[in-house]
Amino acid sequence: MSPGSKDASQRGSIRIGDPLAEEEALQPVLVEVLDAAIAITRADFGNIQLFDPVDGRLQIVAHRGLPSWWQDFWNAADGGSGACGTALARRERVVVEDVEESPIFYGTPALEIQRRAGIRAVQSTPLVGRTGNPIGMFSTHFRRRHRPDEAEERLLDLLAQHAAAMIERVRADLALRDSEERFRILIEHAPVALAMFDSDMRYLAVSRRWLRDYGLGEQDIVGRSHYEVFPEIPERWKAAHRRALAGEVVQEREDHFERIDGTVTWHHWEVRPWRKVDGTVGGVVLFTEDISERKQAEAEISELRAEMESLTKSQIAGQTAAAIAHEINQPLSACASYAEAALRLAQSEGQGSEPLRRALEGSARQAQRAGEVVRELLQFFHAGGGAIEQVQLAQAIPRALALVEGNGHGGFHAVVDLAPDLRPVRANRVQIEKVIVNLLRNGVDAMRAAGVETRQITITVRAIEDDGNRAMARVTVQDCGPGLRAEEIQHIFLPFCSGKPAGIGMGLAISRSLIEANGGRLWCEPAAGGGVFHFTVPFAA
């Protein structure tokens, strides 16, 4: 029976219950199966139902010649009622040769529904999946008493197997397509640079972050070769892609990428295979993270650390020379004075021989020369203190914190409290940052030695005026350690004075020297709630 042979109420009545993708995709299959079932059984009406495992009901999704009120009745009916419900429960075909005589319909509202629709006989054949779970049902209806013969039943069984297989295949394809679409959307909106490729390294999906990180704008690169989009890809990366396509996960924590325009970016990347349903590798997924800013920051910190190490060595040498000079200048001066006095005495009394006179003169000259050497050494170490420039403390403090963290003195919470509208100061940037680093490290060491669990260092910057009415920035560094007693503060800034077992006692002496060289002052206050150090530097004009 062809669709064109039906009346106006029947033509075009194949319909999908909901405009969902699954039912739309199934429509050709349902039409084919329904028309075949009607033709095999020479029926007058027919319908196909799909089983909803959630509520256990059968829903009509396609029909021929059945009024809407009839469909509404059976869509609302209990899943076990009628011929279709019975067939579903038994998992086998049910044939009702005459609804007037069948116990399935006798005494039920369904009997009147069948009468109104002009249905006298019905057969319902279940559609069962490969796992044995119900998929649906196709039923054919007759105006007169009817029972399919053996040949028709065999054909109906073959049709049911074919229909179940086609429905499962369509559903599997839809599920795969839906999964791929969800995965594509997931990749597209991923907050990282992510791309999915097939076995030929052609793009299947790409995140917006990928396009942004690699400067591709709004280009549509899906379907294009990765090596076409990036012809500058190095051979080592292509080798990694081949290893991933062979089933290996390959990654690199830090790797540089020289772009075709000569720019160099740094990346952390990982490439891993994705597999098809049969377990074979279908392609790769590539994740990259642009770490160029981090590498630049590391380079800047390394450079700053080198500057500070050089400054520290120079200052230690200068402070050491100053301490030595202090210790030997007086004895040298005394030697020169004694030699000069002995020479004058020998000359005045006429008792000195020429050799003695020459020896005393030579002794005085050498003592004076030794003093000059010490003074020249001091001048050498104090020369070249560094360029004076405008320094933003709001930038110097974070750099110092990064250095402390990178030098193994992290593990504390830093609170930075800057005065509003803070002007730049006039100082040597490296020297000021070195002082802040020294004070921070001292605070961390003090808190660690005291076993402080919650470690915090507060850095406060305020604008003040010194005794000479100069506008100064006062920087205060306060830790949560045991603090310092008044008697400790008296000698804490002296060279070679250290409270640390492994310290040489030059850090605070150098810091004070640096601050004074920049026109400021460094001091400490006794406090029971932690060490409190202040230093000042003049504001730039």
Side-chain angles (χ1 to χ4, degrees):
M1 180 180 296
S2 66
S5 65
K6 297 297 179 181
D7 59 28
S9 65
Q10 296 172 327
R11 286 196 298 271
S13 60
I14 300 295
R15 65 180 180 85
I16 303 300
D18 293 313
L20 299 176
E22 177 181 303
E23 295 181 0
E24 291 175 353
L26 282 173
Q27 185 175 13
V29 176
L30 301 176
V31 170
E32 179 184 341
V33 172
L34 179 57
D35 286 346
I38 291 174
I40 289 170
T41 59
R42 294 163 290 141
D44 300 294
F45 317 100
N47 73 279
I48 290 185
Q49 298 161 291
L50 292 180
F51 178 69
D52 185 347
V54 176
D55 60 12
R57 293 179 181 272
L58 290 164
Q59 291 293 309
I60 299 172
V61 291
H63 77 96
R64 289 295 195 192
L66 296 167
S68 59
W69 52 264
W70 185 92
Q71 299 172 57
D72 293 341
F73 174 84
W74 287 109
N75 282 335
D78 182 80
S81 59
C84 54
T86 305
L88 177 66
R90 296 177 182 176
R91 300 291 198 274
E92 63 182 15
R93 181 169 37 251
V94 169
V95 177
V96 177
E97 189 173 347
D98 190 339
V99 296
E100 299 290 346
E101 300 174 359
S102 171
I104 293 176
F105 290 97
Y106 182 76
T108 67
L111 179 57
E112 182 58 30
I113 291 294
Q114 299 294 67
R115 286 172 178 169
R116 285 180 59 194
I119 296 174
R120 187 66 181 270
V122 59
Q123 74 78 30
S124 294
T125 301
L127 306 176
V128 181
R130 288 174 298 175
T131 60
N133 294 324
I135 294 177
M137 188 81 56
F138 65 72
S139 302
T140 53
H141 311 272
F142 310 85
R143 291 192 175 97
R144 291 175 294 278
R145 291 171 60 95
H146 182 80
R147 172 177 285 277
D149 58 28
E150 186 176 345
E152 292 173 346
E153 289 186 345
R154 284 198 300 270
L155 290 174
L156 289 176
D157 289 338
L158 291 173
L159 179 62
Q161 294 173 13
H162 175 68
M166 287 197 298
I167 292 172
E168 285 190 319
R169 188 182 309 118
V170 170
R171 284 179 167 173
D173 290 344
L174 285 172
L176 178 60
R177 200 180 312 164
D178 183 58
S179 176
E180 290 175 347
E181 178 64 13
R182 286 199 302 269
F183 192 64
R184 185 194 65 78
I185 293 174
L186 175 65
I187 288 181
E188 181 181 348
H189 295 278
V192 295
L194 196 64
M196 184 178 183
F197 302 87
D198 63 14
S199 57
D200 294 322
M201 290 303 293
R202 295 187 178 277
Y203 284 91
L204 297 176
V206 61
S207 71
R208 295 175 181 175
R209 179 66 177 270
W210 179 284
L211 298 175
R212 185 168 71 249
D213 280 3
Y214 290 101
L216 298 174
E218 298 297 324
Q219 292 186 47
D220 182 8
I221 60 175
V222 173
R224 294 175 61 188
S225 168
H226 187 41
Y227 307 135
E228 173 194 343
V229 176
F230 298 104
E232 67 269 39
I233 284 180
E235 182 57 37
R236 69 180 186 280
W237 284 9
K238 293 180 180 180
H241 301 159
R242 290 192 292 269
R243 290 166 59 189
L245 287 169
E248 187 180 348
V249 176
V250 188
Q251 66 172 327
E252 189 67 51
R253 301 300 300 178
E254 295 181 354
D255 199 358
H256 67 280
F257 180 30
E258 185 173 351
R259 302 299 301 273
I260 200 167
D261 61 359
T263 60
V264 177
T265 55
W266 284 84
H267 300 269
H268 161 219
W269 57 262
E270 178 180 296
V271 56
R272 60 175 57 239
W274 63 266
R275 299 183 182 273
K276 300 177 183 178
V277 177
D278 60 5
T280 60
V281 175
V284 299
V285 174
L286 180 57
F287 154 80
T288 70
E289 178 188 4
D290 190 334
I291 59 172
S292 302
E293 291 185 1
R294 192 189 78 192
K295 291 291 291 183
Q296 182 179 357
E298 289 175 354
E300 291 175 355
I301 289 176
S302 178
E303 182 180 351
L304 184 58
R305 185 181 293 121
E307 289 179 352
M308 289 197 174
E309 287 176 356
S310 175
L311 175 63
T312 299
K313 291 176 182 178
S314 174
Q315 289 297 319
I316 288 177
Q319 291 290 332
T320 303
I324 293 173
H326 178 74
E327 297 296 327
I328 67 174
N329 256 337
Q330 288 183 340
L332 285 173
S333 298
C335 288
S337 297
Y338 279 125
E340 291 173 355
L343 180 61
R344 286 194 299 271
L345 181 62
Q347 291 174 342
S348 64
E349 296 181 357
Q351 298 176 356
S353 65
E354 183 62 22
L356 176 60
R357 184 185 64 77
R358 288 198 299 270
L360 290 173
E361 288 177 348
S363 175
R365 284 196 302 271
Q366 292 304 316
Q368 292 168 355
R369 174 59 184 155
E372 291 174 0
V373 169
V374 170
R375 286 192 294 274
E376 289 174 359
L377 181 64
L378 282 173
Q379 290 173 358
F380 171 78
F381 280 118
H382 286 300
I388 300 297
E389 58 186 316
Q390 290 192 2
V391 179
Q392 293 285 356
L393 292 175
Q395 299 173 359
I397 291 172
R399 280 198 295 265
L401 288 169
L403 274 170
V404 171
E405 186 77 27
N407 286 334
H409 279 71
F412 66 93
H413 176 58
V415 177
V416 180
D417 181 8
L418 302 177
D421 302 324
L422 191 63
R423 291 183 291 151
V425 297
R426 184 175 180 276
N428 178 273
R429 177 185 59 81
V430 176
Q431 293 177 356
I432 295 302
E433 290 176 5
K434 175 62 179 174
V435 171
I436 299 173
V437 167
N438 281 345
L439 296 179
L440 290 172
R441 291 181 61 178
N442 287 346
V444 171
D445 289 339
M447 291 187 292
R448 286 178 178 176
V452 177
E453 293 184 3
T454 304
R455 298 170 185 165
Q456 176 174 301
I457 295 181
T458 302
I459 306 171
T460 306
V461 182
R462 293 289 183 266
I464 64 168
E465 288 187 356
D466 67 359
D467 296 339
N469 295 325
R470 291 186 305 164
M472 308 286 283
R474 184 187 66 195
V475 180
T476 301
V477 179
Q478 181 173 6
D479 59 58
C480 294
L484 293 167
R485 299 186 303 274
E487 55 270 23
E488 292 177 309
I489 294 176
Q490 295 176 1
H491 55 77
I492 197 171
F493 292 103
L494 297 177
F496 308 113
C497 176
S498 175
K500 305 176 188 177
I504 63 172
M506 297 297 292
L508 287 175
I510 290 174
S511 295
R512 172 172 275 184
S513 174
L514 291 175
I515 291 300
E516 290 175 351
N518 282 277
R521 188 167 67 92
L522 171 63
W523 72 99
C524 177
E525 290 182 356
V532 181
F533 287 84
H534 307 276
F535 71 83
T536 58
V537 279
F539 282 117

